[in-house]
Amino acid sequence: MDAESRRPTRASAGFWFFSAALYSVAVSIALLVPPAGLLRQEGAWVVGLLAVPVLLSFLAVLARAQRILVWGSIALLAGFVLFSIASVGLVYLPALVMLGVAAVRQGR
């Protein structure tokens, strides 16, 4: 097997970008919707809080060609995860890892 066939492609980076965005949406919905979800317990302000990782993930998907925007959204998502790790931040850690994998694969 030669080096060209082992190198990750942009298509595989796209898979990781979209997976991170879909994961963020799924987690936010799972935290909001159930009868004992955060929306009922905390109120409407939590929708804005849970929209942050979703928007950052989709920013990375839309700006895949702009590496500075991708790494900026990863840094902001990392800040969100660290800032809110005691409540909901930890569940967004897989999305952060997926975005990191996508950015590294795209950069090659």
Side-chain angles (χ1 to χ4, degrees), residues 30-95:
L31 290 172
L32 285 174
V33 172
L38 289 176
L39 186 60
R40 176 168 275 187
Q41 291 177 358
E42 301 294 329
W45 71 271
V46 79
V47 174
L49 177 72
L50 295 180
V52 170
V54 172
L55 293 175
L56 290 172
S57 297
F58 275 107
L59 174 66
V61 169
L62 295 175
R64 285 187 309 208
Q66 301 291 326
R67 290 178 54 182
I68 189 74
L69 289 177
V70 170
W71 284 107
S73 65
I74 290 171
L76 289 172
L77 185 58
F80 175 84
V81 167
L82 289 175
F83 181 71
S84 62
I85 201 160
S87 57
V88 297
L90 196 59
V91 296
Y92 290 102
L93 186 61

